[in-house]
Amino acid sequence: SKTDPFLENPIEIQKKLIDNISKNPMPARIMHICGTHERTIAKFGIRSLLPPEIEVLSGPGCPVCVTPDNDIDTAIILAKKGLTVVTFGDMLRVPGTEESLFDARAEGADVRMVYSIDDAIKIAADNPDKKIVFLAIGFETTIPTTAAAVLRGLPSNFYIFTSLKLTPPAIDLLIQDINVDAFIAPGHVAVITGTEPFTNFEKLGYPVVVAGFESYDILLAIALLEKQMKAGEAKIENAYPRAVKPEGNKIALKMMDDVFDVSDSEWRGLGIIPNSGFVLKEKYANHNAAVQFFDLYKDEISRLAEVRQKKKKHCICATILTGKANPSNCPMFGKKCTPTTPVGPCMVSDEGMCHSWYKYCRD
Ligand code: SF4
């Protein structure tokens, strides 16, 4: 809008924000929890514009990156057992314990890429003789589209494998484990949830600012967090009011509530986090891939879990997702592991930290 001062003069405002942040900076470790924020930070070199006292860390905010090996392995097993597995393109390239969905497709399994759940439903409608399993990943930003599709009605041969994640419980857990002073909250999540789920951080004494996705949004969030820290405050501020309402999107929240129950969920690098995922409600059990198929193939699922336990891990994605390392700490970064030859999930998706660093931050 013409009344938005950022849009009228973004360069000037960004210079002012950087000046402001750089004036007597307070040492701070600020964590964002969003792959899109990381992409903006890396693309615009925001870390290089900040004084050395301010460190910006990346948390578990990329849906592809936080999907655990177990879910990828299970999807591969289902595909190799003759089901049709459909999911978003990046998921096909994430290495599982022994192979990726892409590899399984090369061996003859029916694995297909889709852009949305609606594409996946069309595949089911066009192939009534096949069983179609949609591997659903994502955060609060995309979960409402899955809920809306369920409420519209699904073909009888369509099953949902939910690997959906809720952001705030993961951050609650991170707070106990990492040394962080303040958080940038993801604006697109808050568009759906509102600001309420982030109030827990405020209660625990952490400043939180909900931010949008332009470079000036990130700089504004950092300036506001610094202001709070200098004043000894810890509150939640909404720096993305052009999209986020405090109460969120009530229609989307109701759809999610009608379709899913909150459940414990496994996150890559963080383990099983209580109440951090969604499963289909019992009334949708006919469309729940876990209910319909996991027991049938439990021996194979357990075998891969044992292989996984014994396998030596060289990828440090899990450490990167918890803000304890950055991609340049990984000896494979930019050598064995590149976007065309990803060793771990953080290099696959363009929301992954390794991918962003490869694209924008290499010397
Ligand atoms: Fe994993 Fe590759 Fe990132 Fe290293 S560079 S942490 S192997 S994704």
Side-chain angles (χ1 to χ4, degrees):
S1 114
K2 281 199 163 179
T3 57
D4 188 331
F6 283 125
L7 300 183
E8 283 177 6
N9 202 345
I11 305 283
E12 205 45 48
I13 294 222
Q14 286 182 98
K15 278 188 191 156
K16 280 190 186 153
L17 285 168
I18 293 164
D19 286 350
N20 215 298
I21 292 167
S22 305
K23 227 178 274 163
N24 301 321
M26 187 171 167
R29 285 165 60 85
I30 296 172
M31 177 174 265
H32 72 76
I33 39 177
C34 170
T36 316
H37 279 164
E38 179 56 36
R39 193 168 48 198
T40 302
I41 289 165
K43 183 173 178 182
F44 293 97
I46 286 178
R47 288 187 179 89
S48 68
L49 301 173
L50 299 175
E53 290 84 353
I54 297 180
E55 197 180 345
V56 179
L57 311 169
S58 175
C62 151
V64 171
C65 308
V66 301
T67 303
D69 285 334
N70 186 36
D71 288 356
I72 293 159
D73 287 344
T74 304
I76 291 168
I77 291 166
L78 298 184
K80 292 180 109 175
K81 294 291 180 188
L83 305 174
T84 299
V85 171
V86 295
T87 190
F88 304 114
D90 284 342
M91 289 304 294
L92 266 57
R93 302 196 310 124
V94 179
T97 300
E98 294 180 333
E99 59 185 336
S100 65
L101 279 163
F102 225 8
D103 298 328
R105 184 163 83 172
E107 290 162 27
D110 191 359
V111 175
R112 306 189 196 186
M113 187 190 94
V114 289
Y115 291 103
S116 69
I117 188 169
D118 292 335
D119 292 348
I121 291 169
K122 184 166 185 323
I123 292 172
D126 291 346
N127 297 275
D129 53 325
K130 290 181 182 281
K131 292 181 173 161
I132 311 298
V133 176
F134 173 60
L135 173 56
I137 64 155
F139 297 111
E140 293 88 337
T141 40
T142 51
I143 295 171
T145 57
T146 305
V150 173
L151 290 170
R152 281 197 301 272
L154 301 171
S156 59
N157 60 333
F158 188 82
Y159 308 89
I160 301 178
F161 179 167
T162 53
S163 191
L164 304 167
K165 307 280 184 256
L166 295 169
T167 315
I171 310 309
D172 280 354
L173 185 96
L174 273 175
I175 284 172
Q176 299 162 26
D177 189 38
I178 53 165
N179 172 18
V180 169
D181 301 300
F183 288 94
I184 300 174
H188 48 12
V189 168
V191 165
I192 303 296
T193 64
T195 51
E196 201 280 330
F198 299 104
T199 52
N200 202 25
F201 312 132
E202 181 181 42
K203 285 182 205 140
L204 291 167
Y206 292 92
V208 186
V209 171
V210 176
F213 301 95
E214 305 296 340
S215 49
Y216 50 75
D217 288 318
I218 305 282
L219 288 169
L220 175 63
I222 294 169
L224 290 172
L225 287 171
E226 213 200 7
K227 193 169 165 222
Q228 281 197 48
M229 286 184 279
K230 281 181 177 169
E233 292 175 333
K235 59 185 180 188
I236 181 154
E237 284 181 90
N238 179 7
Y240 194 30
R242 62 187 189 276
V244 173
K245 293 185 203 142
E247 69 277 16
N249 181 330
K250 287 184 178 169
I251 295 170
L253 289 170
K254 168 130 187 19
M255 285 194 299
M256 285 157 65
D257 202 40
D258 287 345
V259 170
F260 297 110
D261 285 326
V262 172
S263 67
D264 299 349
S265 185
E266 185 183 353
W267 294 54
R268 185 183 297 272
L270 297 172
I272 293 176
I273 304 178
N275 302 321
S276 69
F278 269 146
V279 288
L280 283 169
K281 283 189 185 291
E282 208 177 330
K283 62 182 168 186
Y284 300 113
N286 286 352
H287 295 288
N288 185 336
V291 172
Q292 298 300 322
F293 306 118
F294 287 9
D295 217 34
L296 289 177
Y297 307 121
K298 63 177 187 294
D299 292 345
E300 187 63 5
I301 292 171
S302 314
R303 183 193 73 78
L304 272 182
E306 278 170 33
V307 175
R308 202 162 51 239
Q309 289 292 329
K310 289 181 194 149
K311 205 170 169 185
K312 191 163 166 38
K313 294 224 174 211
H314 298 289
C315 168
I316 61 164
C317 265
T319 322
I320 290 172
L321 289 171
T322 48
K324 293 173 187 159
N326 63 49
S328 53
N329 299 125
C330 175
M332 287 186 278
F333 176 71
K335 297 178 184 118
K336 193 173 172 197
C337 185
T338 70
T340 47
T341 56
V343 174
C346 301
M347 189 59 94
V348 172
S349 162
D350 69 352
E351 292 197 353
M353 194 170 181
C354 297
H355 188 110
S356 286
W357 277 50
Y358 185 88
K359 208 162 162 190
Y360 302 115
C361 306
R362 278 179 306 148
D363 293 332

